[in-house]
Amino acid sequence: MKRLYLTDILKKIGGTIIQGSGNPPIHHVTKNLRDKRWTLFFHLNQKQLDERFFRGKTSMVIVTDKPQMCSRFRDHIILVKVKNCNSAYWKFVDYYRNLFQIPVYRRVRHGHR
């Protein structure tokens, strides 16, 4: 993943930091808690989150539209509030894809259009 910083992402998704501080580099983004590599997590499933999900992590960012579902976090967790988490996720995806000039070729099978 191309290295991004939190402030750049916040501008694109319309997020506001409501807990924690800083501008950490973002190395891996996910919407799945089972993925252990992430530094930016989009809280799409709306399950209650607490500190036990994040043991062993040093610097993390959680993006949510339900901050009341995120409790008991230590200082190393930055909580970002957005209006709609699903919309923010897709804004991020669009932003990230547009950072690259990747040619896409359409393969045409013989006899088909």
Side-chain angles (χ1 to χ4, degrees):
M1 178 171 176
K2 181 176 182 169
R3 179 176 287 187
L4 302 172
Y5 286 88
L6 180 57
T7 54
D8 298 323
I9 295 170
L10 292 178
K11 292 174 193 172
K12 300 300 180 182
I13 67 172
T16 304
I17 295 175
I18 61 170
Q19 176 185 310
S21 63
N23 186 25
I26 303 300
H27 303 287
H28 187 80
V29 178
T30 191
K31 57 183 180 173
N32 183 352
L33 271 177
R34 292 183 185 138
D35 186 346
K36 300 297 182 193
R37 303 173 295 162
W38 62 271
T39 53
L40 177 68
F41 171 71
F42 283 88
H43 182 217
L44 299 176
N45 64 10
Q46 303 302 313
K47 291 183 182 178
Q48 182 75 31
L49 298 179
D50 63 41
E51 186 70 30
R52 67 189 162 106
F53 289 109
F54 312 110
R55 287 189 185 121
K57 299 268 186 200
T58 56
S59 179
M60 304 170 315
V61 178
I62 300 168
V63 177
T64 186
D65 55 7
K66 303 268 192 258
Q68 68 275 15
M69 301 292 286
C70 305
S71 60
R72 297 185 299 259
F73 292 141
R74 294 186 187 151
D75 294 338
H76 69 283
I77 297 175
I78 297 172
L79 191 60
V80 173
K81 184 173 191 239
V82 292
K83 186 175 181 180
N84 181 295
C85 199
N86 190 54
S87 176
Y89 174 75
W90 288 108
K91 285 177 185 178
F92 170 78
V93 169
D94 186 52
Y95 162 64
Y96 191 74
R97 286 179 181 165
N98 285 313
L99 292 175
F100 304 96
Q101 296 291 325
I102 301 173
V104 178
Y105 298 99
R106 189 174 138 208
R107 183 178 172 177
V108 179
R109 291 189 283 170
H110 186 70
H112 293 88
R113 292 183 183 239

